[in-house]
Amino acid sequence: MTDNIIKEEITSLVNKKSSFNIIVLKTINSTNSYAKYLAKSGSPHETVVIADSQTEGRGRLGREFFSPEGTGIYMSILLKPEKIAIPMSFLTVAAGVAVCRVLNNISKTPAEIKWVNDIFMCQKKVCGILAEITNDSIKGTIDNIIVGIGLNVTTPDQVFPGKLGNVAGSVFPENISRNEIIAYIINELRTIYIENNIQKLIDEYKAYSLVLNKRINFTKNGETFTGTAIDINMEGNLIARLENGEKVVLKSGEISLGSENFTN
Ligand code: BTN
């Protein structure tokens, strides 16, 4: 099946009440970088940049996001803070929940979220999310939010380079095009930020969590800890209980599960 990314197909499937302006590119360095450039050049709320491949796809913590052509979804959704009610800090949580909803609808394999926002299927990372902002240098306020989503749809295991092959996997959905998946994710994300129900969002995020009630390892202020992930609070922070009973609140960063290291 040819599965080209086609603007008209995506547009025909996105919620008609939305104002999404879909831009499809064959290749780009990074859709997040391009969306930032568009944002600074005056592109409006709900501009979406999608590329068939990226030459410098970026992940969290300065990592690369492997983005080969023809088999993945690399997209960035530009949102303006003044147009959305949901607090900005929840957009990354919202994006994770939106992707999980879609993956759980199109695949029999459950999709789970490894805090903060990596999505796993069968213990392989299939999706990463990178939310970025731009600042208005005069007012000193945030003027754009860019929600970047990278999803491995049909990238074969052997194509992931080096050690990434141990960690990354693909969704391999049956009978569904990348255009449909893109439109469904966009629609779900919009539903969540229009609905603006934080309690419901966090409850759903927790239901998808791969880490809750599991033993985790993490570093905080340069020190390494082992504990149990016991909750995700209303700010989206992870609460861990250490072996001595002390509770630690993790706001960002990286955790690994038990003896297995899921970082990449
Ligand atoms: C991560 O795994 O740490 C986050 C990966 C985010 C990748 C996406 S792909 C689309 C957008 N453009 C980028 O350069 N990065 C994000």
Side-chain angles (χ1 to χ4, degrees):
M1 180 175 88
T2 51
D3 183 22
N4 295 326
I5 299 181
I6 300 165
K7 173 186 162 128
E8 291 69 25
E9 281 194 25
I10 301 166
T11 306
S12 73
L13 292 168
V14 294
N15 188 315
K16 299 291 172 285
K17 287 191 191 140
S18 70
S19 58
F20 286 113
N21 173 31
I22 312 282
I23 298 168
V24 173
L25 307 167
K26 185 95 194 90
T27 191
I28 190 79
N29 54 357
S30 151
T31 56
N32 264 31
S33 302
Y34 190 58
K36 270 189 192 173
Y37 161 78
L38 290 179
K40 285 293 182 191
S41 314
S43 285
H45 177 64
E46 295 187 334
T47 296
V48 186
V49 180
I50 304 154
D52 187 50
S53 69
Q54 298 182 116
T55 54
E56 293 167 35
R58 296 187 281 109
R60 291 176 64 245
L61 309 171
R63 297 189 183 121
E64 182 194 341
F65 190 82
F66 180 61
S67 314
E69 68 178 272
T71 60
I73 291 171
Y74 318 110
M75 72 171 160
S76 300
I77 303 162
L78 164 62
L79 301 169
K80 302 274 176 181
E82 68 274 14
K83 300 265 188 184
I84 52 172
I86 192 169
M88 246 182 41
S89 55
F90 286 97
L91 276 169
T92 178
V93 172
V97 168
V99 172
C100 276
R101 281 186 189 174
V102 173
L103 297 185
N104 285 325
N105 275 334
I106 65 170
S107 169
K108 293 189 191 83
T109 308
E112 300 171 294
I113 306 178
K114 176 176 165 272
W115 186 85
V116 181
N117 232 346
D118 289 340
I119 295 170
F120 280 71
M121 289 172 104
C122 290
Q123 303 190 355
K124 293 279 184 138
K125 176 172 164 176
V126 297
C127 177
I129 293 164
L130 177 67
E132 298 184 299
I133 54 165
T134 69
N135 289 303
D136 182 320
S137 53
I138 296 164
K139 291 191 205 141
T141 51
I142 292 169
D143 54 0
N144 298 288
I145 309 155
I146 291 118
V147 181
I149 301 172
L151 179 68
N152 305 320
V153 182
T154 55
T155 309
D157 285 354
Q158 63 275 16
V159 170
F160 293 107
K163 283 191 193 155
L164 191 58
N166 303 330
V167 183
S170 292
V171 180
F172 296 117
E174 279 173 34
N175 298 323
I176 183 154
S177 69
R178 283 186 292 168
N179 297 309
E180 289 168 286
I181 299 173
I182 291 166
Y184 298 161
I185 293 174
I186 292 172
N187 286 340
E188 288 297 349
L189 180 63
R190 183 173 184 275
T191 301
I192 295 168
Y193 62 69
I194 298 278
E195 200 173 49
N196 187 21
N197 184 335
I198 303 297
Q199 180 70 62
K200 185 175 164 212
L201 177 62
I202 293 288
D203 286 348
E204 197 173 344
Y205 181 89
K206 280 161 73 168
Y208 293 132
S209 176
L210 180 66
V211 302
L212 276 185
N213 304 317
K214 301 254 172 69
R215 284 181 67 74
I216 56 166
N217 306 310
F218 59 92
T219 49
K220 193 169 173 165
N221 304 328
E223 226 186 308
T224 305
F225 297 93
T226 298
T228 305
I230 56 168
D231 200 8
I232 291 159
N233 70 13
M234 284 298 287
E235 280 78 51
N237 302 326
L238 184 70
I239 316 292
R241 190 173 42 230
L242 304 183
E243 276 149 355
N244 64 7
E246 191 190 326
K247 284 187 189 168
V248 178
V249 179
L250 297 173
K251 296 197 166 144
S252 63
E254 202 75 9
I255 58 170
S256 59
L257 279 162
S259 57
E260 291 177 272
N261 192 343
F262 279 91
T263 61
N264 67 332

